[in-house]
Amino acid sequence: MGTACARHLAEAGHSVVLIGPEEPADPALFEGPFASHHDAGRITRILAHDADWARLSARSIARYGDIEARSGIGFYHPVGGMMAAPSAGPGAAFGDAFLGVAGTEGIAHDRLEGAALAARFPMFRFAPGTRAAWDPAGGWIDPRAMRRAEETLAIAAGARVLPDVAVARRDGRITLGSGEAVDAGEVVVATGAYAGMDALLPFRPAMEVYARTIAFVELAQREAAALAGMPTLIFVPEEQAHDLYLLPPIRYPDGRWLVKIGGEDDSPRLRTKPDMTRWFRGSGSAGAGRELLAALGRVMPGLPMERSFTGACAVAFTTTGKPYVARIAPGLTLLAGGNGAGAKCADELGRLGALVATGGDLADEGYGCDFRAVEDAAP
Ligand SMILES: Cc1cc2nc3c(=O)[nH]c(=O)nc-3n(C[C@H](O)[C@H](O)[C@H](O)COP(=O)(O)OP(=O)(O)OC[C@H]3O[C@@H](n4cnc5c(N)ncnc54)[C@H](O)[C@@H]3O)c2cc1C
């Protein structure tokens, strides 16, 4: 979000300094802050269980092509995005929600069930009665590359980037880990899951930060090629209430082809920076990893799963269920709270953050929610 915000501000003619650490070469040796976008794949889609999230994504996706073209950095892989849920049981409401939003928002999609679903996507096995929607604009983005593309455009528009950490803020003066200080008329704090943990804000925003585990299966290139046409998938297995997400084989920077699955009903909370560091230095929860791999084996029974491993990440859920994009003090804007879904729509969230930071108001931006920030009531 922060880098997209910097791009929108710089391209609007404002002088901008973007502050944030590079991704660590070895997380085990890194003191943080880590990030929730240090990965090669994030699902993108317009389909959503909520109209505002669908609009945030639709507007971002509509600008992907321009960002790629002008930066020269590709990140969008429109392989199709599918959502699927049972027609009865605890997961049915999720299906009602995304199909309802697809209808009211007029989102282009193919509605699939039964034999048509099985014929179109033979790699998946769903419970009888499963309802699915396939989104042609969906697929996956490389979040690292998207951030680099936004940064490239911000720099081209005059922004300065400091690969450093903000350790303190006093009004518009930001002190960095290097000891340098930056003075700015306006400050945007877009520190993701750390927003409630660092001393940059006058109050702790009400956010729950969850430690998340993801599971990967490594494929040989020919096995990956055999899954050409596989979309990204968000689905609710039978007899389960929470959704899981799945990405098709992606060639990771180390050359491996990996399928990734994630999604947990509940997981440990992270409250402090040391909590975050401990978690990100690990490889997630083995138990959660086993459950995810078992779910993967059920939805993709033909997938070779000899080589698998797990990883760690963190998501920040706000009490409103929407990102906080709000002025929280004179000269200070908060832009945080991806709710496990903020990568795909980071460009639009960055644009809204830029609007607020330059004194604008979001009331006429076409959203049902107001993106207000909520203070954590706990002392
Ligand atoms: C396992 C997993 C899977 C996900 N899958 C999806 C998906 O498929 N689709 C999707 O849309 N979203 C997905 N998300 C959510 C998405 O990644 C996040 O919503 C998004 O990354 C949030 O963006 P952000 O800019 O708020 O935070 P981040 O991406 O975490 O960026 C915050 C940045 O601030 C930096 N920072 C922190 N403190 C400081 C400081 N004091 N000074 C300077 N810099 C600081 C951090 O190092 C980091 O670079 C997933 C998240 C996880 C964890």
Side-chain angles (χ1 to χ4, degrees):
M1 299 182 200
T3 306
C5 185
R7 189 235 341 151
H8 283 281
L9 286 165
E11 292 193 340
H14 299 283
S15 61
V16 177
V17 170
L18 173 64
I19 302 163
E22 293 298 345
E23 178 173 357
D26 183 352
L29 302 175
F30 189 54
E31 286 301 332
F34 292 81
S36 299
H37 66 268
H38 290 165
D39 197 350
R42 290 282 180 267
I43 292 177
T44 191
R45 55 186 158 91
I46 302 179
L47 285 174
H49 66 290
D50 171 279
D52 281 331
W53 282 107
R55 291 173 197 166
L56 287 167
S57 302
R59 292 178 180 183
S60 299
I61 292 173
R63 291 194 291 264
Y64 286 171
D66 168 63
I67 299 166
E68 289 185 312
R70 291 191 296 121
S71 68
I73 298 173
F75 57 81
Y76 176 36
H77 302 264
V79 298
M82 186 148 81
M83 297 183 82
S87 42
F94 185 74
D96 298 341
F98 70 73
L99 291 170
V101 170
T104 52
E105 295 292 302
I107 300 170
H109 67 284
D110 295 350
R111 176 73 189 271
L112 297 162
E113 287 183 41
L117 176 57
R120 176 96 172 256
F121 299 112
M123 70 285 293
F124 298 133
R125 178 183 295 164
F126 294 111
T130 292
R131 301 167 291 167
W134 180 84
D135 173 356
W140 57 279
I141 53 170
D142 176 338
R144 289 179 178 121
M146 184 175 79
R147 201 199 71 73
R148 272 203 314 280
E150 296 271 20
E151 187 175 88
T152 299
L153 294 180
I155 292 169
R160 195 157 67 98
V161 178
L162 297 178
D164 205 330
V165 178
V167 294
R169 180 192 64 81
R170 190 182 176 82
D171 302 326
R173 165 158 284 212
I174 302 291
T175 305
L176 307 182
S178 61
E180 196 187 332
V182 174
D183 291 307
E186 291 285 336
V187 174
V188 178
V189 173
T191 54
Y194 288 87
M197 302 173 191
D198 51 32
L200 303 175
L201 298 172
F203 62 75
R204 188 183 181 116
M207 289 198 312
E208 285 286 359
V209 177
Y210 293 84
R212 292 298 204 218
T213 297
I214 40 210
F216 296 92
V217 167
E218 181 180 348
L219 300 180
Q221 180 155 6
R222 63 179 163 69
E223 293 165 337
L227 288 170
M230 176 180 162
T232 53
L233 175 66
I234 295 186
F235 70 110
V236 181
E238 211 177 15
E239 301 318 322
Q240 184 174 307
H242 75 277
D243 58 294
L244 302 175
Y245 59 87
L246 182 52
L247 286 93
I250 292 174
R251 192 163 190 277
Y252 269 60
D254 63 4
R256 291 184 295 176
W257 287 93
L258 303 177
V259 167
K260 179 176 77 174
I261 185 166
E264 293 164 80
D265 189 21
D266 196 4
S267 61
R269 302 295 187 281
L270 303 169
R271 299 192 191 285
T272 65
K273 288 189 215 176
D275 287 351
M276 293 284 278
T277 302
R278 264 190 303 278
W279 182 256
F280 272 97
R281 284 182 172 175
S283 55
S285 145
R290 278 192 296 277
E291 281 180 30
L292 288 168
L293 290 169
L296 180 56
R298 287 191 290 272
V299 76
M300 295 189 74
L303 189 73
M305 294 185 56
E306 292 74 31
R307 287 165 297 174
S308 64
F309 59 97
T310 58
C313 194
V315 288
F317 279 77
T318 62
T319 48
T320 59
K322 300 289 169 28
Y324 295 154
V325 188
R327 201 167 197 51
I328 57 172
L332 183 61
T333 296
L334 174 61
L335 173 62
N339 289 268
K344 66 179 80 61
C345 49
D347 186 69
E348 175 65 356
L349 290 165
R351 184 187 73 84
L352 298 177
L355 210 52
V356 169
T358 51
D361 168 343
L362 303 184
D364 303 327
E365 291 301 316
Y367 292 100
C369 71
D370 58 10
F371 300 98
R372 67 193 160 82
V374 178
E375 180 169 350
D376 190 340

